[in-house]
Amino acid sequence: MHGTITVIGKDPVRIHSYTAPEDGLDVTTQLIETPSRIIAVDAQFVLAYADEVTAYAKGLGKPIDRLVVSHAHPDHYQGAARFGVPVHALPETTAEIVAMGEGPICPPAPRSRSAT
């Protein structure tokens, strides 16, 4: 593994923080591990490091349920398609990515209904 992993928390929820090496701009991806699934936050800039994160996550033995893109910088969404899961972002974030000419970052996640 080229990046580094730091794990914090305790059962039932742990956060695995992956940091790419310097040639990957020290970008971080957070993997929130719950009892039944993993939620990824931000997708890496260098595709090889996005692949490294997803391989690590698969090794945890739980499915990656979704990817959350925190904001419209390429180091947060460039590797999104490598995760192979629905991508969630605020509408404003998605619009900024599209406006930069990047197109959709991945097939959009299904919209959920708000509880009322």
Side-chain angles (χ1 to χ4, degrees):
M1 177 174 286
H2 299 283
T4 59
I5 299 282
T6 303
V7 181
I8 61 172
K10 61 180 185 177
D11 290 331
V13 175
R14 295 188 307 165
I15 298 172
H16 305 253
S17 185
Y18 171 91
T19 304
E22 190 174 332
D23 68 336
L25 306 176
D26 298 315
V27 174
T28 61
T29 297
Q30 309 307 316
L31 301 172
I32 303 166
E33 180 186 5
T34 71
S36 60
R37 64 186 174 163
I38 296 168
I39 299 165
V41 180
D42 295 329
Q44 292 294 308
F45 182 69
V46 175
L47 300 182
Y49 298 139
D51 293 340
E52 197 168 78
V53 172
T54 59
Y56 173 82
K58 287 177 185 172
L60 296 174
K62 299 171 185 171
I64 301 174
D65 180 70
R66 68 191 68 202
L67 170 68
V68 177
V69 175
S70 65
H71 61 280
H73 289 167
D75 59 319
H76 295 266
Y77 67 80
Q78 187 71 29
R82 299 296 230 245
F83 285 73
V85 297
V87 177
H88 296 262
L90 293 173
E92 297 84 359
T93 300
T94 301
E96 284 182 53
I97 293 167
V98 171
M100 288 187 287
E102 298 293 328
I105 52 178
C106 205
R111 297 203 131 191
S112 61
R113 293 183 181 177
S114 299
T116 55

